[in-house]
């Protein structure tokens, strides 16, 4: 149950920020990930689209590892290519940066049935400067992988923003 007050509601709500289609065997799944920007934003979900059911996905082990390398963790996108699950870090906090975080796809797939993602799948991260618009830094807001083309991403420019609040556009 969430509070009625908008500010308190924003502070306590789950934070599902990114999702991607994840075909596994003959079943169809949707992988949904939280931002990781607060301790209560460490649970995602795995939706079985054939059975219209979902199971919680604890990503705290993975996100704690990422937070050691990325200040003000704020995952905003996820995309999957042939070998990797790639998370897109939104660098909208004052000490933060945009990054592409690579996870080993096979390790991720092997962990999903357990309901947890650990740090074991993490392989590397790359910081990325997306530039700015009218002196406001661009940050990742979503991504998609297209075979034979590569990653496409969406970016936004939000002034006065942190990793847990939205700023002025």
């Amino acid at each position: 149950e969430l509070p009625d007050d908008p500010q308190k509601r924003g502070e306590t709500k789950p934070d599902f920020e990114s999702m991607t289609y994840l075909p596994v065997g003959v079943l169809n799944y949707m992988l949904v990930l939280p931002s990781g920007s607060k301790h209560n934003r460490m649970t995602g979900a795995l939706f079985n689209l054939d059975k219209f059911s979902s199971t919680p996905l604890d990503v705290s082990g993975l996100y704690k590892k990422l937070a050691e390398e990325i200040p003000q963790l704020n995952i905003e996108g996820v995309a999957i290519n042939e070998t990797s699950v790639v998370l897109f870090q939104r660098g909208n906090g004052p000490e933060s940066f945009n990054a592409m975080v690579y996870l080993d796809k096979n390790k991720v797939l092997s962990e999903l049935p357990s309901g947890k993602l650990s740090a074991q799948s993490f392989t590397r991260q790359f910081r990325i400067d997306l530039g700015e618009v009218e002196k406001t830094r661009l940050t990742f807001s979503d991504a998609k992988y297209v075979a034979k083309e590569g990653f496409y991403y969406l970016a936004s420019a939000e002034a006065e923003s942190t990793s847990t609040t939205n700023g002025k556009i």
Side-chain angles (χ1 to χ4, degrees), residues 25-54:
V26 295
L27 298 176
N28 297 309
Y29 288 90
M30 189 67 72
L31 175 64
V32 179
L33 296 176
S35 67
S37 61
K38 291 185 174 185
H39 72 281
N40 63 323
R41 296 177 176 175
M42 298 284 181
T43 302
L46 190 60
F47 287 95
N48 182 323
L49 299 172
D50 292 327
K51 296 181 179 180
F52 300 106
S53 64
S54 66

Side-chain angles (χ1 to χ4, degrees), residues 100-116:
M100 291 174 68
V101 178
Y102 284 77
L103 310 176
D104 180 278
K105 181 179 173 181
N106 290 331
K107 287 184 183 173
V108 169
L109 293 176
S110 71
E111 287 187 340
L112 287 177
S114 73
K116 295 182 180 184

Side-chain angles (χ1 to χ4, degrees), residues 7-134:
Q7 183 168 349
K8 289 181 182 175
R9 184 179 198 84
E11 292 171 0
T12 58
K13 71 176 178 70
D15 197 26
F16 300 132
E17 289 291 344
S18 53
M19 69 170 68
T20 191
Y21 178 68
L22 179 68
V24 178
V26 295
L27 298 176
N28 297 309
Y29 288 90
M30 189 67 72
L31 175 64
V32 179
L33 296 176
S35 67
S37 61
K38 291 185 174 185
H39 72 281
N40 63 323
R41 296 177 176 175
M42 298 284 181
T43 302
L46 190 60
F47 287 95
N48 182 323
L49 299 172
D50 292 327
K51 296 181 179 180
F52 300 106
S53 64
S54 66
T55 54
L57 183 63
D58 176 2
V59 298
S60 61
L62 171 62
Y63 280 19
K64 286 176 184 174
K65 168 65 176 165
L66 297 182
E68 292 173 7
E69 301 209 13
I70 299 173
Q72 298 174 320
L73 187 66
N74 190 13
I75 302 301
E76 289 282 328
V78 59
I80 299 172
N81 68 12
E82 295 79 13
T83 61
S84 301
V85 174
V86 182
L87 309 180
F88 289 79
Q89 156 68 17
R90 181 178 192 175
N92 59 329
E95 299 172 30
S96 193
F97 52 83
N98 294 299
M100 291 174 68
V101 178
Y102 284 77
L103 310 176
D104 180 278
K105 181 179 173 181
N106 290 331
K107 287 184 183 173
V108 169
L109 293 176
S110 71
E111 287 187 340
L112 287 177
S114 73
K116 295 182 180 184
L117 288 182
S118 73
Q120 302 271 338
S121 63
F122 173 72
T123 58
R124 64 193 183 281
Q125 58 97 356
F126 297 99
R127 295 180 185 205
I128 297 176
D129 183 351
L130 300 176
E132 58 183 46
V133 172
E134 296 180 11

